[in-house]
Amino acid sequence: MRALSRRSFLAGTATAAALAATGGTLAGCSSSDGKVHLELFQFKSEAIALFDQICADFNAANPDIVVTQNFQADNITSLRARLVKGDTPDLITINGDYNYGALADTGIFYDFNRTDLLDGVNPSIASILDTLGTGGEGQTNGVAFADNGSGIIYNKDVFDDAGLEPPTTWAELIEICDELTAQGIDPFYWAIKDNWTGAPAFSSLSGSFLTDGVAAWYEKRRDLDSGTSFAELSPVFEKMYQAVQYGNGDKAALGYNDGNQGFAQGKAAMYWHGTYAIPAIRSYNPDINLGTFATPADDPADTKVVSGVDVALTMGENPAHLEENLRFFQYLMDEANMTAYCDEQVAYPTLTTLSAQDPALEGLQPYFDAGRVATYSDHNFPPAITLNAYIQQYLFNGDLDQLISTLDAQWNKVVRRINETA
Amino acid sequence: MTTQTATAPRAGDPQAVSHKIRDNKAKKVDPAFIWMLVPAALVFTVLLTIPLLTGVFYTFTNFKGYGDWHFVGLTNYKNLFSDDIIWGSYLFTFKYAIVASILTNIIALGLALVLNSKMKARTFFRGVFFVPYILPVLVVSYIFSYLFTNNLPQIGQALGWEWLSTSLLANEDLAWLAIVVVGVWQSVAYNTIIYLAGLQTVPEEIYEASALDGAGPVRRLWSMTLPLIIPYLGINMVLSFKGFLGVFDQIVALTSGGPGTATQSISYLIFKNGFQGGEYAYQTANGVIYFLIVVALSFAQLRFTQSQERV
């Protein structure tokens, strides 16, 4: 062994650095074992075990392919970092929100209309992804795998004890609130310290109020010369403020998790959140008897369920292993796998042949079957507009004029900026 | 830049300086210095200078953080100045930094004077008061968040004070004060240490002399101690002000910029809208402006306090 001189030490570190730079990257392609290795870029922390199981089953059934799950919590940020490096993952699961639309708009995703993956998918759900963004006219850049529904969650036991039924109109909902208040029960459980918790109410009210389609209204609003203003949504904001008055006294001090916990302990009758909150509520009280109903419009015929694609499947526009990728997606979209996922995650399956099995989801299922779904209103806002913060402010102070003028001013400013630098 | 490091002339020796300049055959520099300097310079360049310049470059584009981009000239900077959200964040940050720096320095100076006096268990107390500096900001903030949300309102209700009977963090007008409290509580410790070091430099004799002249404790503090530790006051002001201008962790843990946008600090806004809001280039331009402002202010403060030094 040579004594360590300065030169040999430096040479050694240089070699080590070079090795780390080359050998540190994953071999993302067919490797020495002659199999095709695929990476599944997955973002749902609750579903890691299930996807591991699905991958294992798939790999066993397809000896020529090895799919490995790569879980990323902050998936949009890490996906962007990967895209910058030109290293698109083979298989991607992604949440269908504004970010999905922004990425799809840049034309980096595959057009699944060229495949038969979309054949069994409920068309009113499949089209939600298209309203968010597409790489080109008539493209669909993601396959809806699991859906959430946003209405109002209610505690069936509290309703039964108070002798109440889920409402079908907004007026009935207010009657129920008054009745519960008279009986000394908090009608709603609010937790507004996390500012986004006002957004579900905003979205589900907008879905029924904008009868010509949510996306269509925002399309019009994006045309800054159309004279459209957020004042048109005043009834939505007024109803939100009305509902917030029927709630717990400590709403300003509670965050989302406190809200789930308090509602699980039976502290109120209703909880204005999407179905995504159900597993969290049950984690605090597995025996709670939950139900859901769609946020009622003034006229029951207008009532819709606001739905977003909780998990969409997509891949790069020019994948290295197209055939193998499609084979895995086919396998995922299989009824058995979709059912397994939706049962575990309390989500709505997107295939027309399936319906949700969970009793808490039954209340919204008819709307999915009838295609009465609307997209999330807040997914249409560029993230630079801090909509959640303004809604939170409004729920605290009730100043509608201020909210509308703020939203109009911010929207015009940001949209103009986006157009200017587009 | 490196060839003259080996021969350091004695200060105030003009002979040595001129001699060095004339001597083109400078002494061979000890390679040890090169071995120390080059890696440091490399690391600094690769990890700081290049990213900074890259960032400045991107501010003239419409880069979203990924995908294609093209040049948009000075549009980002033009939009910055007409953006009320940006102005709001600057206003909040400066309000916060000014109030927090003044409070921190007053409290730290007071603590240092107390801890410098002849009292029992002095070392123990010095240790105790240094503890907040060791705790991670996030942990402290979450604990305070709990106190503000659960305990303080109960005290407020018991006293019948309207403004304190709900959570301060949910109050648009007062949330910034809650952040000031946490920031000051955390940073007093470090500034106290610097003041203590400063007080060590004040010789005992002047106090004896002033006592003979009949100066009371207040007069002694005002005419003796303070002028003598002005340099420490200066460095403390600059350091704490610069630190508070970058307030970030407390905001994340306490309010996430809320209620509404009442407590969006500059760094929080850059982070949030730049990385999550897809406004990478735009917020980088904000970062460049912010950087220039901090540099200018720090220099101005240093010059000002140096002009006050009379010793």
Side-chain angles (χ1 to χ4, degrees), chain A residues 6 10 84 393 413 417 421, chain B residues 35 62 65-66 83 172 279:
Chain A
R6 201 167 48 204
L10 285 167
V84 171
Q393 214 162 355
K413 185 189 73 188
R417 202 162 68 206
T421 56
Chain B
W35 281 111
N62 69 340
Y66 59 90
D83 189 344
E172 234 177 299
E279 296 191 306

Side-chain angles (χ1 to χ4, degrees), chain A residues 86-386:
Chain A
D87 171 28
T88 314
D90 301 299
L91 308 154
I92 302 169
T93 67
I94 188 168
N95 177 269
D97 62 5
Y98 184 92
N99 285 314
Y100 164 83
L103 289 168
D105 278 333
T106 59
I108 55 166
F109 292 145
Y110 193 79
D111 177 16
F112 287 93
N113 284 333
R114 284 185 264 164
T115 69
D116 52 6
L117 275 171
L118 293 163
D119 288 354
V121 177
N122 184 335
S124 56
I125 292 173
S127 63
I128 287 178
L129 288 175
D130 302 347
T131 63
L132 295 167
T134 58
E137 196 60 43
Q139 289 194 16
T140 299
N141 303 107
V143 184
F145 174 68
D147 250 41
N148 58 41
S150 194
I152 296 177
I153 302 172
Y154 71 105
N155 187 329
K156 284 181 177 170
D157 296 339
V158 173
F159 264 55
D160 288 347
D161 293 348
L164 296 170
E165 286 289 314
T168 54
T169 65
W170 180 260
E172 277 178 34
L173 176 68
I174 296 301
E175 277 170 36
I176 286 178
C177 289
D178 289 324
E179 175 62 27
L180 286 164
T181 311
Q183 297 190 23
I185 304 166
D186 277 337
F188 281 104
Y189 204 65
W190 294 101
I192 324 183
K193 185 172 179 248
D194 286 339
N195 64 18
W196 67 270
T197 54
F202 170 66
S203 288
S204 64
L205 283 165
S206 310
S208 304
F209 176 72
L210 296 169
T211 43
D212 299 339
V214 175
W217 188 84
Y218 282 98
E219 195 55 52
K220 207 164 62 185
R221 188 68 190 81
R222 265 192 288 274
D223 175 7
L224 297 179
D225 307 322
S226 64
T228 325
S229 154
F230 282 97
E232 293 168 32
L233 298 184
S234 293
V236 170
F237 297 129
E238 281 160 2
K239 284 176 179 174
M240 284 170 70
Y241 193 67
Q242 192 181 7
V244 168
Q245 304 318 304
Y246 291 105
N248 43 322
D250 53 358
K251 53 176 155 308
L254 300 178
Y256 174 62
N257 287 329
D258 309 322
N260 293 336
Q261 194 171 357
F263 187 71
Q265 292 161 350
K267 286 187 180 171
M270 293 177 278
Y271 194 45
W272 206 328
H273 268 290
T275 51
Y276 49 81
I278 291 173
I281 298 169
R282 283 183 181 153
S283 73
Y284 291 108
N285 178 2
D287 306 326
I288 190 165
N289 193 358
L290 296 174
T292 42
F293 57 85
T295 306
D298 294 326
D299 175 357
D302 291 339
T303 301
K304 284 194 177 127
V305 167
V306 166
S307 169
V309 179
D310 215 22
V311 179
L313 313 175
T314 187
M315 59 187 172
E317 179 235 351
N318 190 8
H321 307 285
L322 178 61
E323 190 269 329
E324 289 85 353
N325 283 358
L326 290 175
R327 221 189 311 166
F328 181 75
F329 281 154
Q330 291 284 16
Y331 182 78
L332 258 187
M333 295 296 285
D334 182 76
E335 287 188 10
N337 283 323
M338 191 182 283
T339 306
Y341 178 88
C342 291
D343 285 355
E344 188 182 278
Q345 297 297 315
V346 195
Y348 289 93
T350 54
L351 293 172
T352 43
T353 49
L354 298 174
S355 57
Q357 299 303 310
D358 196 299
L361 301 183
E362 281 168 6
L364 304 185
Q365 185 65 48
Y367 292 91
F368 282 98
D369 297 340
R372 288 169 65 183
V373 291
T375 181
Y376 276 90
S377 207
D378 58 345
H379 287 177
N380 291 281
F381 282 79
I385 304 171
T386 44

Side-chain angles (χ1 to χ4, degrees), chain B residues 200-254:
Chain B
Q200 306 300 313
T201 64
V202 181
E204 276 298 313
E205 292 85 354
I206 64 157
Y207 289 126
E208 287 162 13
S210 61
L212 287 176
D213 291 340
V218 177
R219 182 68 202 270
R220 249 179 300 178
L221 171 68
W222 194 249
S223 307
M224 300 279 166
T225 315
L226 282 184
L228 284 170
I229 60 163
I230 278 269
Y232 297 90
L233 183 86
I235 199 74
N236 255 340
M237 266 312 224
V238 173
L239 281 181
S240 58
F241 191 69
K242 186 193 79 55
F244 285 130
L245 276 183
V247 60
F248 180 80
D249 318 38
Q250 290 101 322
I251 309 255
V252 171
L254 289 167

